Amino acid sequence: MEKTLEVKGMTCGHCKMSVEGALNELEGVNSAEVDLKEDKVMVNYDESKVSIEEMESAIEEQGYDVV
Ligand code: 9UX
């Protein structure tokens, strides 16, 4: 399943790496791609293995706000 999350506070390439890295560590996340300009994160995931809530928590733990 594919979904786009809106995330505030990501500005540089390190933000992008932090968020993508945190998401990719989760079991069930196939891919995560941050679009810095659009404040978006596109996630491709297996909904039987990981929930949106878990992905949001992982992003928030890195210090960013999910809208
Ligand atoms: Mo870059 Mo992101 O210096 O929180 S890591 S702005």
Side-chain angles (χ1 to χ4, degrees):
M1 163 156 241
E2 198 142 72
K3 207 158 189 125
T4 301
L5 307 174
E6 191 175 353
V7 179
K8 295 290 183 194
M10 305 179 297
T11 15
C12 78
H14 299 112
C15 298
K16 180 174 157 76
M17 295 306 293
S18 304
V19 170
E20 288 173 354
L23 289 169
N24 278 314
E25 269 178 29
L26 298 176
E27 174 91 37
V29 173
N30 302 319
S31 66
E33 170 85 35
V34 168
D35 185 329
L36 289 177
K37 264 193 244 159
E38 301 289 336
D39 286 338
K40 298 265 163 73
V41 184
M42 275 93 41
V43 284
N44 183 297
Y45 63 103
D46 182 341
E47 67 270 34
S48 69
K49 291 189 185 156
V50 67
S51 66
I52 288 286
E53 288 72 25
E54 286 173 274
M55 292 189 278
E56 287 180 352
S57 300
I59 295 170
E60 285 165 356
E61 273 171 27
Q62 298 300 312
Y64 306 102
D65 291 327
V66 182
V67 179

Short mmCIF file of all heavy atoms in Angstrom, two decimals:
data_model
loop_
_atom_site.label_atom_id
_atom_site.label_comp_id
_atom_site.label_asym_id
_atom_site.label_seq_id
_atom_site.Cartn_x
_atom_site.Cartn_y
_atom_site.Cartn_z
N MET A 1 0.84 -1.19 0.00
CA MET A 1 0.00 0.00 0.00
C MET A 1 0.88 1.24 0.00
O MET A 1 1.97 1.23 0.55
CB MET A 1 -0.89 -0.06 1.25
CG MET A 1 -1.55 1.25 1.66
SD MET A 1 -3.03 0.88 2.63
CE MET A 1 -4.27 1.62 1.65
N GLU A 2 0.41 2.28 -0.66
CA GLU A 2 1.20 3.50 -0.75
C GLU A 2 0.42 4.67 -0.17
O GLU A 2 -0.79 4.78 -0.38
CB GLU A 2 1.52 3.78 -2.21
CG GLU A 2 2.67 4.76 -2.38
CD GLU A 2 3.55 4.36 -3.57
OE1 GLU A 2 3.10 4.51 -4.70
OE2 GLU A 2 4.65 3.85 -3.32
N LYS A 3 1.14 5.50 0.57
CA LYS A 3 0.47 6.64 1.19
C LYS A 3 1.44 7.81 1.29
O LYS A 3 2.65 7.62 1.37
CB LYS A 3 0.02 6.24 2.60
CG LYS A 3 -1.20 7.01 3.07
CD LYS A 3 -1.94 6.30 4.18
CE LYS A 3 -3.25 7.01 4.43
NZ LYS A 3 -4.40 6.13 4.33
N THR A 4 0.88 9.02 1.28
CA THR A 4 1.71 10.21 1.44
C THR A 4 1.35 10.89 2.75
O THR A 4 0.19 11.16 3.02
CB THR A 4 1.47 11.19 0.27
OG1 THR A 4 1.80 10.51 -0.95
CG2 THR A 4 2.37 12.41 0.41
N LEU A 5 2.37 11.13 3.57
CA LEU A 5 2.17 11.82 4.85
C LEU A 5 2.71 13.23 4.71
O LEU A 5 3.70 13.46 4.02
CB LEU A 5 2.94 11.10 5.97
CG LEU A 5 2.68 9.61 6.14
CD1 LEU A 5 3.63 9.04 7.20
CD2 LEU A 5 1.24 9.36 6.55
N GLU A 6 2.06 14.18 5.39
CA GLU A 6 2.58 15.53 5.41
C GLU A 6 3.37 15.72 6.69
O GLU A 6 2.87 15.44 7.78
CB GLU A 6 1.42 16.53 5.34
CG GLU A 6 1.91 17.94 5.09
CD GLU A 6 0.78 18.94 4.89
OE1 GLU A 6 -0.40 18.52 4.81
OE2 GLU A 6 1.10 20.14 4.83
N VAL A 7 4.62 16.14 6.54
CA VAL A 7 5.52 16.26 7.69
C VAL A 7 6.15 17.64 7.70
O VAL A 7 6.73 18.08 6.70
CB VAL A 7 6.63 15.18 7.64
CG1 VAL A 7 7.57 15.32 8.83
CG2 VAL A 7 6.01 13.78 7.62
N LYS A 8 6.04 18.32 8.84
CA LYS A 8 6.61 19.67 8.97
C LYS A 8 7.97 19.64 9.63
O LYS A 8 8.22 18.82 10.52
CB LYS A 8 5.67 20.53 9.84
CG LYS A 8 4.30 20.77 9.23
CD LYS A 8 4.39 21.69 8.03
CE LYS A 8 2.99 21.99 7.47
NZ LYS A 8 3.08 22.58 6.13
N GLY A 9 8.84 20.52 9.21
CA GLY A 9 10.10 20.72 9.89
C GLY A 9 11.31 20.12 9.21
O GLY A 9 12.43 20.27 9.70
N MET A 10 11.11 19.43 8.09
CA MET A 10 12.25 18.85 7.39
C MET A 10 12.81 19.90 6.43
O MET A 10 12.11 20.37 5.55
CB MET A 10 11.83 17.61 6.60
CG MET A 10 11.12 16.54 7.42
SD MET A 10 10.64 15.12 6.40
CE MET A 10 9.47 15.88 5.27
N THR A 11 14.08 20.24 6.62
CA THR A 11 14.64 21.28 5.76
C THR A 11 15.82 20.84 4.93
O THR A 11 15.90 21.18 3.76
CB THR A 11 15.07 22.52 6.58
OG1 THR A 11 15.11 22.16 7.95
CG2 THR A 11 14.09 23.65 6.38
N CYS A 12 16.74 20.11 5.53
CA CYS A 12 17.94 19.78 4.76
C CYS A 12 18.04 18.29 4.45
O CYS A 12 17.21 17.49 4.85
CB CYS A 12 19.20 20.27 5.48
SG CYS A 12 19.71 19.21 6.84
N GLY A 13 19.07 17.93 3.76
CA GLY A 13 19.29 16.55 3.36
C GLY A 13 19.45 15.60 4.54
O GLY A 13 19.13 14.42 4.43
N HIS A 14 19.93 16.13 5.67
CA HIS A 14 20.05 15.26 6.84
C HIS A 14 18.69 14.95 7.44
O HIS A 14 18.47 13.85 7.95
CB HIS A 14 20.98 15.89 7.89
CG HIS A 14 22.37 16.10 7.38
ND1 HIS A 14 22.89 17.35 7.16
CD2 HIS A 14 23.32 15.21 7.00
CE1 HIS A 14 24.13 17.21 6.67
NE2 HIS A 14 24.41 15.93 6.57
N CYS A 15 17.81 15.91 7.38
CA CYS A 15 16.42 15.65 7.82
C CYS A 15 15.84 14.53 6.98
O CYS A 15 15.20 13.61 7.48
CB CYS A 15 15.54 16.88 7.62
SG CYS A 15 15.99 18.34 8.54
N LYS A 16 16.03 14.66 5.68
CA LYS A 16 15.52 13.66 4.74
C LYS A 16 16.06 12.27 5.10
O LYS A 16 15.30 11.31 5.21
CB LYS A 16 15.96 14.07 3.33
CG LYS A 16 15.53 13.15 2.21
CD LYS A 16 15.92 13.77 0.86
CE LYS A 16 16.06 12.76 -0.26
NZ LYS A 16 14.79 12.28 -0.80
N MET A 17 17.36 12.19 5.34
CA MET A 17 17.98 10.90 5.68
C MET A 17 17.46 10.36 7.01
O MET A 17 17.24 9.16 7.15
CB MET A 17 19.52 11.05 5.76
CG MET A 17 20.20 11.39 4.45
SD MET A 17 19.81 10.28 3.08
CE MET A 17 20.59 8.78 3.66
N SER A 18 17.26 11.25 8.00
CA SER A 18 16.78 10.80 9.31
C SER A 18 15.40 10.18 9.21
O SER A 18 15.13 9.13 9.78
CB SER A 18 16.70 11.97 10.29
OG SER A 18 17.92 12.61 10.41
N VAL A 19 14.52 10.88 8.50
CA VAL A 19 13.14 10.41 8.38
C VAL A 19 13.07 9.13 7.55
O VAL A 19 12.43 8.14 7.95
CB VAL A 19 12.24 11.52 7.79
CG1 VAL A 19 10.87 10.98 7.44
CG2 VAL A 19 12.13 12.68 8.77
N GLU A 20 13.76 9.13 6.42
CA GLU A 20 13.74 7.93 5.58
C GLU A 20 14.36 6.75 6.32
O GLU A 20 13.85 5.63 6.28
CB GLU A 20 14.49 8.19 4.26
CG GLU A 20 13.72 9.13 3.33
CD GLU A 20 14.50 9.56 2.10
OE1 GLU A 20 15.70 9.24 1.99
OE2 GLU A 20 13.88 10.23 1.24
N GLY A 21 15.46 7.01 7.04
CA GLY A 21 16.13 5.95 7.78
C GLY A 21 15.25 5.36 8.87
O GLY A 21 15.17 4.14 9.03
N ALA A 22 14.58 6.25 9.62
CA ALA A 22 13.72 5.79 10.71
C ALA A 22 12.58 4.94 10.18
O ALA A 22 12.20 3.93 10.78
CB ALA A 22 13.18 6.99 11.49
N LEU A 23 12.02 5.34 9.06
CA LEU A 23 10.91 4.59 8.48
C LEU A 23 11.38 3.25 7.93
O LEU A 23 10.74 2.21 8.14
CB LEU A 23 10.22 5.41 7.38
CG LEU A 23 9.42 6.61 7.89
CD1 LEU A 23 9.01 7.50 6.72
CD2 LEU A 23 8.20 6.16 8.67
N ASN A 24 12.52 3.26 7.27
CA ASN A 24 13.03 2.02 6.68
C ASN A 24 13.42 0.98 7.72
O ASN A 24 13.46 -0.21 7.41
CB ASN A 24 14.21 2.32 5.75
CG ASN A 24 13.74 2.77 4.37
OD1 ASN A 24 12.85 2.16 3.80
ND2 ASN A 24 14.33 3.83 3.86
N GLU A 25 13.69 1.44 8.95
CA GLU A 25 14.02 0.49 10.02
C GLU A 25 12.80 -0.31 10.48
O GLU A 25 12.93 -1.35 11.12
CB GLU A 25 14.56 1.23 11.24
CG GLU A 25 16.06 1.38 11.21
CD GLU A 25 16.58 2.17 12.40
OE1 GLU A 25 15.94 2.14 13.47
OE2 GLU A 25 17.61 2.83 12.24
N LEU A 26 11.61 0.22 10.19
CA LEU A 26 10.39 -0.45 10.64
C LEU A 26 10.11 -1.67 9.76
O LEU A 26 10.16 -1.58 8.54
CB LEU A 26 9.19 0.50 10.58
CG LEU A 26 9.23 1.74 11.46
CD1 LEU A 26 8.00 2.60 11.17
CD2 LEU A 26 9.27 1.36 12.93
N GLU A 27 9.79 -2.77 10.43
CA GLU A 27 9.37 -3.98 9.73
C GLU A 27 8.08 -3.65 8.97
O GLU A 27 7.15 -3.10 9.54
CB GLU A 27 9.11 -5.06 10.79
CG GLU A 27 8.53 -6.35 10.26
CD GLU A 27 9.64 -7.34 9.89
OE1 GLU A 27 10.65 -7.38 10.60
OE2 GLU A 27 9.45 -8.04 8.89
N GLY A 28 8.05 -3.96 7.70
CA GLY A 28 6.83 -3.72 6.93
C GLY A 28 6.90 -2.51 6.02
O GLY A 28 6.06 -2.33 5.16
N VAL A 29 7.92 -1.66 6.24
CA VAL A 29 8.10 -0.52 5.34
C VAL A 29 8.98 -0.95 4.17
O VAL A 29 10.10 -1.41 4.36
CB VAL A 29 8.74 0.70 6.06
CG1 VAL A 29 9.07 1.81 5.08
CG2 VAL A 29 7.81 1.22 7.16
N ASN A 30 8.44 -0.84 2.97
CA ASN A 30 9.17 -1.25 1.77
C ASN A 30 10.06 -0.13 1.26
O ASN A 30 11.18 -0.36 0.82
CB ASN A 30 8.20 -1.68 0.67
CG ASN A 30 7.31 -2.81 1.12
OD1 ASN A 30 7.76 -3.73 1.79
ND2 ASN A 30 6.04 -2.74 0.77
N SER A 31 9.53 1.09 1.30
CA SER A 31 10.33 2.23 0.87
C SER A 31 9.74 3.51 1.46
O SER A 31 8.56 3.58 1.78
CB SER A 31 10.36 2.33 -0.66
OG SER A 31 9.08 2.63 -1.15
N ALA A 32 10.60 4.50 1.62
CA ALA A 32 10.17 5.81 2.13
C ALA A 32 10.96 6.86 1.39
O ALA A 32 12.18 6.75 1.25
CB ALA A 32 10.44 5.90 3.62
N GLU A 33 10.27 7.87 0.89
CA GLU A 33 10.93 8.91 0.09
C GLU A 33 10.41 10.28 0.54
O GLU A 33 9.22 10.56 0.46
CB GLU A 33 10.59 8.66 -1.38
CG GLU A 33 10.99 9.77 -2.34
CD GLU A 33 12.44 9.66 -2.81
OE1 GLU A 33 12.92 8.53 -2.98
OE2 GLU A 33 13.08 10.71 -2.99
N VAL A 34 11.35 11.09 1.04
CA VAL A 34 10.98 12.43 1.49
C VAL A 34 11.09 13.42 0.34
O VAL A 34 12.07 13.42 -0.40
CB VAL A 34 11.92 12.88 2.64
CG1 VAL A 34 11.77 14.38 2.92
CG2 VAL A 34 11.65 12.07 3.90
N ASP A 35 10.06 14.25 0.20
CA ASP A 35 10.09 15.37 -0.73
C ASP A 35 10.18 16.64 0.12
O ASP A 35 9.20 17.10 0.70
CB ASP A 35 8.81 15.37 -1.58
CG ASP A 35 8.84 16.45 -2.66
OD1 ASP A 35 9.46 17.50 -2.43
OD2 ASP A 35 8.21 16.23 -3.72
N LEU A 36 11.39 17.18 0.22
CA LEU A 36 11.63 18.34 1.10
C LEU A 36 10.80 19.55 0.68
O LEU A 36 10.25 20.25 1.53
CB LEU A 36 13.12 18.72 1.08
CG LEU A 36 14.09 17.76 1.78
CD1 LEU A 36 15.51 18.25 1.60
CD2 LEU A 36 13.75 17.60 3.26
N LYS A 37 10.72 19.80 -0.60
CA LYS A 37 10.01 20.98 -1.10
C LYS A 37 8.53 20.95 -0.76
O LYS A 37 7.93 21.97 -0.46
CB LYS A 37 10.16 21.06 -2.63
CG LYS A 37 11.31 21.98 -3.06
CD LYS A 37 11.21 22.27 -4.55
CE LYS A 37 12.41 21.72 -5.27
NZ LYS A 37 12.28 21.50 -6.69
N GLU A 38 7.97 19.76 -0.84
CA GLU A 38 6.52 19.62 -0.63
C GLU A 38 6.14 19.26 0.81
O GLU A 38 4.95 19.13 1.12
CB GLU A 38 5.95 18.55 -1.57
CG GLU A 38 6.18 18.82 -3.06
CD GLU A 38 5.34 19.97 -3.60
OE1 GLU A 38 4.29 20.26 -3.00
OE2 GLU A 38 5.76 20.58 -4.59
N ASP A 39 7.15 19.08 1.68
CA ASP A 39 6.87 18.65 3.06
C ASP A 39 6.09 17.33 3.09
O ASP A 39 5.13 17.19 3.86
CB ASP A 39 6.07 19.72 3.84
CG ASP A 39 6.94 20.91 4.22
OD1 ASP A 39 8.17 20.77 4.28
OD2 ASP A 39 6.35 21.99 4.47
N LYS A 40 6.49 16.42 2.24
CA LYS A 40 5.76 15.15 2.14
C LYS A 40 6.70 13.96 2.29
O LYS A 40 7.89 14.07 1.97
CB LYS A 40 5.08 15.05 0.76
CG LYS A 40 4.05 16.15 0.49
CD LYS A 40 2.65 15.71 0.82
CE LYS A 40 1.67 16.85 0.97
NZ LYS A 40 1.32 17.46 -0.31
N VAL A 41 6.12 12.87 2.75
CA VAL A 41 6.86 11.60 2.76
C VAL A 41 5.97 10.54 2.11
O VAL A 41 4.84 10.31 2.55
CB VAL A 41 7.18 11.12 4.19
CG1 VAL A 41 8.04 9.85 4.14
CG2 VAL A 41 7.90 12.20 4.98
N MET A 42 6.47 9.94 1.05
CA MET A 42 5.74 8.87 0.38
C MET A 42 6.23 7.54 0.95
O MET A 42 7.42 7.26 0.90
CB MET A 42 6.02 8.88 -1.13
CG MET A 42 5.14 9.81 -1.92
SD MET A 42 5.76 11.48 -2.20
CE MET A 42 7.45 11.30 -2.57
N VAL A 43 5.30 6.79 1.50
CA VAL A 43 5.68 5.50 2.06
C VAL A 43 4.98 4.38 1.32
O VAL A 43 3.80 4.47 0.97
CB VAL A 43 5.35 5.39 3.57
CG1 VAL A 43 6.36 6.17 4.39
CG2 VAL A 43 3.94 5.84 3.88
N ASN A 44 5.75 3.32 1.06
CA ASN A 44 5.19 2.11 0.50
C ASN A 44 5.36 1.06 1.58
O ASN A 44 6.48 0.82 2.05
CB ASN A 44 5.95 1.72 -0.77
CG ASN A 44 5.34 0.49 -1.42
OD1 ASN A 44 5.32 -0.59 -0.83
ND2 ASN A 44 4.84 0.66 -2.63
N TYR A 45 4.25 0.48 2.04
CA TYR A 45 4.33 -0.40 3.20
C TYR A 45 3.30 -1.52 3.13
O TYR A 45 2.35 -1.47 2.33
CB TYR A 45 4.11 0.41 4.48
CG TYR A 45 2.74 1.05 4.60
CD1 TYR A 45 1.77 0.50 5.42
CD2 TYR A 45 2.42 2.20 3.87
CE1 TYR A 45 0.50 1.07 5.51
CE2 TYR A 45 1.17 2.77 3.95
CZ TYR A 45 0.20 2.20 4.78
OH TYR A 45 -1.04 2.75 4.87
N ASP A 46 3.55 -2.51 3.97
CA ASP A 46 2.65 -3.65 4.07
C ASP A 46 1.75 -3.41 5.28
O ASP A 46 2.21 -3.45 6.42
CB ASP A 46 3.50 -4.92 4.26
CG ASP A 46 2.63 -6.17 4.34
OD1 ASP A 46 1.42 -6.05 4.60
OD2 ASP A 46 3.20 -7.27 4.14
N GLU A 47 0.48 -3.14 5.01
CA GLU A 47 -0.42 -2.74 6.09
C GLU A 47 -0.72 -3.86 7.09
O GLU A 47 -1.26 -3.61 8.15
CB GLU A 47 -1.70 -2.12 5.53
CG GLU A 47 -2.62 -3.05 4.76
CD GLU A 47 -2.30 -3.09 3.26
OE1 GLU A 47 -1.10 -2.97 2.88
OE2 GLU A 47 -3.23 -3.27 2.47
N SER A 48 -0.32 -5.09 6.75
CA SER A 48 -0.50 -6.18 7.71
C SER A 48 0.67 -6.23 8.69
O SER A 48 0.61 -6.94 9.70
CB SER A 48 -0.63 -7.52 6.98
OG SER A 48 0.61 -7.88 6.39
N LYS A 49 1.72 -5.47 8.42
CA LYS A 49 2.91 -5.51 9.28
C LYS A 49 3.17 -4.21 10.03
O LYS A 49 3.82 -4.21 11.06
CB LYS A 49 4.15 -5.84 8.44
CG LYS A 49 4.17 -7.25 7.92
CD LYS A 49 5.52 -7.56 7.30
CE LYS A 49 5.53 -8.94 6.64
NZ LYS A 49 6.55 -9.01 5.60
N VAL A 50 2.72 -3.09 9.48
CA VAL A 50 3.02 -1.81 10.12
C VAL A 50 1.83 -0.87 9.94
O VAL A 50 1.15 -0.90 8.91
CB VAL A 50 4.34 -1.21 9.55
CG1 VAL A 50 4.19 -0.80 8.10
CG2 VAL A 50 4.84 -0.04 10.38
N SER A 51 1.57 -0.06 10.98
CA SER A 51 0.43 0.87 10.92
C SER A 51 0.93 2.29 10.66
O SER A 51 2.10 2.61 10.89
CB SER A 51 -0.34 0.84 12.24
OG SER A 51 0.47 1.36 13.28
N ILE A 52 0.00 3.11 10.21
CA ILE A 52 0.30 4.53 10.02
C ILE A 52 0.77 5.14 11.34
O ILE A 52 1.70 5.95 11.37
CB ILE A 52 -0.98 5.26 9.53
CG1 ILE A 52 -1.28 4.89 8.07
CG2 ILE A 52 -0.84 6.77 9.65
CD1 ILE A 52 -0.36 5.53 7.06
N GLU A 53 0.12 4.75 12.44
CA GLU A 53 0.48 5.28 13.76
C GLU A 53 1.94 4.99 14.10
O GLU A 53 2.65 5.85 14.63
CB GLU A 53 -0.43 4.69 14.84
CG GLU A 53 -1.86 5.21 14.84
CD GLU A 53 -2.71 4.70 13.66
OE1 GLU A 53 -2.40 3.61 13.10
OE2 GLU A 53 -3.65 5.41 13.26
N GLU A 54 2.38 3.77 13.79
CA GLU A 54 3.78 3.43 14.07
C GLU A 54 4.73 4.27 13.23
O GLU A 54 5.79 4.70 13.70
CB GLU A 54 4.03 1.94 13.76
CG GLU A 54 3.43 0.99 14.78
CD GLU A 54 3.58 -0.46 14.32
OE1 GLU A 54 2.70 -0.93 13.56
OE2 GLU A 54 4.57 -1.09 14.70
N MET A 55 4.35 4.52 11.99
CA MET A 55 5.20 5.33 11.11
C MET A 55 5.22 6.78 11.59
O MET A 55 6.27 7.41 11.61
CB MET A 55 4.72 5.22 9.67
CG MET A 55 4.94 3.81 9.11
SD MET A 55 4.63 3.68 7.35
CE MET A 55 2.84 3.51 7.35
N GLU A 56 4.06 7.27 12.02
CA GLU A 56 4.01 8.64 12.54
C GLU A 56 4.88 8.78 13.78
O GLU A 56 5.60 9.77 13.95
CB GLU A 56 2.55 9.03 12.87
CG GLU A 56 1.73 9.26 11.62
CD GLU A 56 0.29 9.64 11.90
OE1 GLU A 56 -0.13 9.60 13.09
OE2 GLU A 56 -0.42 9.99 10.95
N SER A 57 4.82 7.78 14.67
CA SER A 57 5.64 7.83 15.89
C SER A 57 7.12 7.84 15.55
O SER A 57 7.90 8.58 16.16
CB SER A 57 5.37 6.62 16.78
OG SER A 57 4.03 6.59 17.17
N ALA A 58 7.51 7.03 14.57
CA ALA A 58 8.92 6.97 14.18
C ALA A 58 9.39 8.33 13.65
O ALA A 58 10.52 8.75 13.93
CB ALA A 58 9.12 5.89 13.12
N ILE A 59 8.52 9.00 12.92
CA ILE A 59 8.87 10.33 12.39
C ILE A 59 8.97 11.34 13.53
O ILE A 59 9.90 12.13 13.61
CB ILE A 59 7.83 10.79 11.35
CG1 ILE A 59 7.86 9.87 10.12
CG2 ILE A 59 8.07 12.25 10.95
CD1 ILE A 59 6.71 10.08 9.14
N GLU A 60 8.00 11.27 14.45
CA GLU A 60 7.98 12.22 15.56
C GLU A 60 9.17 12.02 16.48
O GLU A 60 9.70 12.99 17.03
CB GLU A 60 6.64 12.11 16.31
CG GLU A 60 5.53 12.78 15.49
CD GLU A 60 4.12 12.45 15.93
OE1 GLU A 60 3.94 11.60 16.84
OE2 GLU A 60 3.18 13.02 15.35
N GLU A 61 9.61 10.76 16.64
CA GLU A 61 10.80 10.49 17.46
C GLU A 61 12.04 11.17 16.89
O GLU A 61 12.99 11.45 17.62
CB GLU A 61 11.04 8.97 17.55
CG GLU A 61 10.28 8.31 18.68
CD GLU A 61 10.35 6.79 18.60
OE1 GLU A 61 11.35 6.27 18.07
OE2 GLU A 61 9.40 6.13 19.07
N GLN A 62 12.04 11.42 15.59
CA GLN A 62 13.17 12.12 14.98
C GLN A 62 13.05 13.63 15.15
O GLN A 62 13.95 14.38 14.77
CB GLN A 62 13.25 11.77 13.48
CG GLN A 62 13.50 10.31 13.18
CD GLN A 62 14.81 9.80 13.76
OE1 GLN A 62 15.84 10.43 13.61
NE2 GLN A 62 14.75 8.68 14.47
N GLY A 63 11.91 14.07 15.68
CA GLY A 63 11.75 15.49 15.97
C GLY A 63 10.93 16.28 14.97
O GLY A 63 10.98 17.51 14.96
N TYR A 64 10.16 15.59 14.13
CA TYR A 64 9.36 16.27 13.13
C TYR A 64 7.87 16.06 13.42
O TYR A 64 7.49 15.09 14.05
CB TYR A 64 9.71 15.77 11.72
CG TYR A 64 11.20 15.89 11.48
CD1 TYR A 64 12.01 14.77 11.56
CD2 TYR A 64 11.77 17.13 11.23
CE1 TYR A 64 13.39 14.88 11.40
CE2 TYR A 64 13.14 17.25 11.06
CZ TYR A 64 13.95 16.11 11.15
OH TYR A 64 15.30 16.23 10.99
N ASP A 65 7.07 17.01 12.93
CA ASP A 65 5.64 16.94 13.19
C ASP A 65 4.89 16.39 11.99
O ASP A 65 5.03 16.89 10.88
CB ASP A 65 5.07 18.35 13.49
CG ASP A 65 5.57 18.87 14.82
OD1 ASP A 65 5.76 18.05 15.73
OD2 ASP A 65 5.77 20.09 14.93
N VAL A 66 4.07 15.38 12.26
CA VAL A 66 3.21 14.85 11.20
C VAL A 66 1.89 15.61 11.28
O VAL A 66 1.30 15.73 12.35
CB VAL A 66 2.95 13.35 11.39
CG1 VAL A 66 2.09 12.80 10.26
CG2 VAL A 66 4.27 12.58 11.47
N VAL A 67 1.47 16.17 10.15
CA VAL A 67 0.24 16.97 10.13
C VAL A 67 -0.98 16.05 10.10
O VAL A 67 -0.98 15.08 9.33
CB VAL A 67 0.21 17.89 8.90
CG1 VAL A 67 -1.09 18.70 8.87
CG2 VAL A 67 1.42 18.82 8.93
MO1 9UX B 1 19.55 19.93 8.74
MO2 9UX B 1 17.13 19.00 9.73
O1 9UX B 1 20.96 20.94 9.52
O2 9UX B 1 16.31 19.02 11.45
S1 9UX B 1 19.12 18.07 10.00
S2 9UX B 1 17.70 21.12 9.10
#
